[in-house]
Amino acid sequence: MGTNAIGDLLLELTQALNNISSQLPFDIKRDEMLTMDDVCLRLKIHRNTLTGWIKKGTFPEPIYVGGQQRWSSSLINARIYEDNPQLREREHLMAEARRIAEKTGAAA
């Protein structure tokens, strides 16, 4: 196999891996994998509450790592963002402020 063929193969493989990782609901390279206790602590809820949400389908199912339940930190952060419209409003206001600053040339 020539050098170009190997390079092409590696490029295709890299693109395929990037495509797969872009479809995941979290970034496995950067996310912290949280236990049920971690999630409960972060959300300030009891384990029974979390279990109930999962059973009702109102909370994301865990993934299993080494046979143990885990949730990605970005998935939990997305849930917090989803449940708090004031966070979305603040983000909208910040985006609007950036747009106005760029329009007037005041942005850094």
Side-chain angles (χ1 to χ4, degrees), residues 19-90:
N19 187 31
I20 290 169
S21 67
S22 69
Q23 295 172 14
L24 293 173
F26 54 88
D27 184 349
I28 201 161
K29 295 175 192 168
R30 290 186 280 191
D31 271 354
E32 181 182 0
M33 299 309 290
L34 305 172
T35 65
M36 181 177 272
D37 288 339
D38 294 334
V39 172
C40 291
L41 186 63
R42 189 169 285 198
L43 298 177
K44 307 287 190 256
I45 59 172
H46 192 272
R47 291 173 64 100
N48 294 343
T49 302
L50 182 57
T51 302
W53 289 351
I54 294 167
K55 286 180 181 176
K56 284 189 226 172
T58 60
F59 197 83
E61 290 278 336
I63 62 168
Y64 287 84
V65 178
Q68 297 184 8
Q69 293 181 335
R70 296 285 188 264
W71 288 264
S72 69
S73 54
S74 64
L75 194 61
I76 301 307
N77 291 339
R79 174 62 188 247
I80 292 169
Y81 179 80
E82 245 176 56
D83 288 348
N84 291 281
Q86 69 272 24
L87 294 176
R88 293 191 300 279
E89 180 60 26
R90 181 171 182 231

Side-chain angles (χ1 to χ4, degrees), residues 2-15:
T3 306
N4 284 346
I6 293 172
D8 291 343
L9 182 63
L10 288 173
L11 180 60
E12 284 181 42
L13 180 60
T14 301
Q15 289 170 342

